[in-house]
Structures are given as C-alpha cells and as structure tokens.
Amino acid sequence: MIGNDRITDYINSLAKELPTELLHLEREAIENHVPIIKKDTQGLLRFLLKVHQPKQILEVGTAIGFSALLMGEYTMEDCQITTIEKVAMRLVEAVKNLADPRFPQKDKITLREGDALEILKDLVQEKRSYDFIFLDAAKAQYMAFLPELMQLLLVGGMLVTDNVLQDGTVINSRYSITRRDRTIHTRMREYLYTITHREDLETVVLPVGDGVAISKKL
Ligand code: SAH
Ligand code: MG
C-alpha cells in the first residue's frame, strides 16, 4: 500500500497464502523483475472476484500470466478469461505458463497476442462483452484504451485499473518529475479524472498496491 510499509506488511501477513504453484510463479516473477500485482492487490482482486463472480473477464497486460492464473484460481468453473500481451519476451513465458499442467485453471484462459489497442478494436468488432476488466498495461495508454473498454464492458460490470498512483508520484508537482515521466503523469491524472467523473461510471480510487481504481459501469 502506498504510504505505510508496516501496515502493508501487517495486512499481507493476514492474507490467506496462495496455492503453492502460484506462489512459485510469483517468486519467479519478482526475481525476474516482472511487474506483477502486489500482495495487497492480489487480496483485493480475489475479494472482488468472490463478490462479483464474473463470467467473462478481460485482462489487458498478461506479462507472464501470473494475474490471469490468479483470477483463474478464484473464479467459478464456467468463467472465461481473455488476456492480452504484446511483448515477445513476455509472451514466451506466458505461453509456457498458460500451458503448464500444474495450473489446471489455465483452461479458462485465452491469450491474445498483439498490441492491446488493436486487439480491443478486434474484440469490439467481434461483439464481445465482459463483466470484469482488469487493466494492467502501459499506463500512458489507459486513456487511449478507454473508449473500447467502455464498449466492451457490460452495464453492471467492473473495470479494475492497476498502477493508477504510480507509487505515489501522481500527486507530485508536474515540475518535480523527469520529462520522461511527465507524459505518463499527465495522462494518468486525465484518466483518473475521467473515470471518476463520467456519468456512466461509479469509481473509487484506493491506495492499495501501486494504486487501484475500481469502477462499476452504471
Ligand atoms: N497483469 C500482470 C502484469 C502485467 S505488467 C500480472 O500482474 O501478473 C504489464 C504488461 O503489459 C507488460 O508485460 C507489458 O508488456 C504489457 N503491455 C503494455 N502495453 C501493452 C500494449 N499496448 N499491448 C499489449 N500489452 C501491453
Ligand atoms: Mg500492475
């Protein structure tokens, strides 16, 4: 959680442990500096899935498949998960993990390879719809993804967006951050303003993990 490491450690110490195979994959990801969801975000996601019980999940940003497999673990048998990834190096690992018999929940998961914006447009064309979307990709593109995401999200469905507070830097002054990060900073603020002010979304922003926004489509 942003702000207090000791509280985060304590909250994490209360969490139910992941199944062993997922724990191994989590460790592998951390060792290889793959930016997977944090422990407290895992707990939040797991809780939301238990409450909402989605049937069709869309994930933007597979990385090596950790969060997709986690969602597969905590959803009903008939839930289907589509997950999008474009980076070749990540895809190699994702394909491997999503075919691994140690993860029986892999059968719920379909990997779509390519740039998210293009695949989102394809999914709209294919008239797909989702009752749960987990957005966890390049932060600077969230705003660009939003029109398609809104088309794909069913009324009553949830959009969960990760990394919205960027370790807290979103509150820093525009001028205190490097030029490189400034675009992301501006775009993330625009994204957060938009999802908190749209008439068709009810959104809460939480300082969990790297910042998570939870939106419900009205
Ligand atoms: N959800 C994963 C972590 C995702 S990290 C987990 O918690 O286990 C973000 C991923 O998004 C990276 O692997 C990156 O390659 C991918 N990504 C970023 N921009 C993308 C885009 N435009 N299209 C597809 N994938 C993208
Ligand atoms: Mg993330």
Side-chain angles (χ1 to χ4, degrees):
M1 195 194 296
I2 291 158
N4 194 324
D5 290 344
R6 288 184 58 214
I7 289 199
T8 306
D9 287 346
Y10 175 63
I11 292 172
N12 291 344
S13 78
L14 295 171
K16 281 187 199 143
E17 203 48 278
L18 286 171
T20 316
E21 304 301 348
L22 272 177
L23 209 53
H24 287 157
L25 190 60
E26 181 192 37
R27 193 175 314 140
E28 186 187 314
I30 293 168
E31 280 167 4
N32 294 305
H33 307 288
V34 180
I36 57 163
I37 46 171
K38 301 266 167 71
K39 277 277 181 212
D40 45 349
T41 310
Q42 294 172 27
L44 178 63
L45 208 50
R46 178 173 172 170
F47 177 79
L48 291 174
L49 294 170
K50 291 290 177 189
V51 170
H52 192 59
Q53 303 190 344
K55 295 283 177 255
Q56 292 287 342
I57 299 179
L58 175 64
E59 175 180 68
V60 186
T62 317
I64 65 169
F66 174 74
S67 54
L69 288 164
L70 181 132
M71 291 193 284
E73 177 73 28
Y74 299 118
T75 43
M76 312 286 271
E77 211 49 57
D78 58 349
C79 176
Q80 297 200 316
I81 303 171
T82 300
T83 180
I84 307 173
E85 177 58 56
K86 72 165 178 188
V87 172
M89 196 177 71
R90 294 270 161 82
L91 280 165
V92 174
E93 295 301 312
V95 167
K96 191 183 81 191
N97 292 325
L98 297 176
D100 191 327
R102 287 181 307 163
F103 299 114
Q105 70 270 41
K106 71 182 188 317
D107 296 337
K108 297 178 180 175
I109 304 170
T110 307
L111 178 62
R112 302 268 302 229
E113 306 186 9
D115 184 69
L117 193 55
E118 280 166 29
I119 291 177
L120 293 176
K121 288 183 196 300
D122 292 345
L123 295 173
V124 171
Q125 283 291 314
E126 294 166 24
K127 301 206 183 326
R128 308 264 178 184
S129 52
Y130 300 90
D131 52 0
F132 195 97
I133 297 180
F134 182 49
L135 175 56
D136 189 19
K139 297 184 283 266
Q141 290 180 290
Y142 285 2
M143 215 37 220
F145 297 153
L146 193 58
E148 276 72 26
L149 293 178
M150 289 304 294
Q151 283 189 67
L152 293 166
L153 186 63
L154 289 163
V155 169
M158 263 184 200
L159 167 64
V160 178
T161 312
D162 194 27
N163 306 100
V164 295
L165 301 175
Q166 307 163 62
D167 281 322
T169 60
V170 77
I171 58 169
N172 295 353
S173 152
R174 232 180 93 67
Y175 302 101
S176 69
I177 47 189
T178 62
R179 186 179 293 273
R180 196 185 65 86
D181 289 338
R182 214 173 277 169
T183 314
I184 298 178
H185 181 267
T186 307
R187 290 188 185 163
M188 184 54 83
R189 283 191 169 204
E190 189 189 353
Y191 178 76
L192 282 177
Y193 186 88
T194 305
I195 61 171
T196 49
H197 288 77
R198 279 181 73 120
E199 287 288 324
D200 54 355
L201 287 178
E202 183 66 36
T203 295
V204 62
V205 181
L206 302 173
V208 172
D210 294 327
V212 179
I214 304 171
S215 311
K216 181 179 167 121
K217 186 169 174 182
L218 305 174

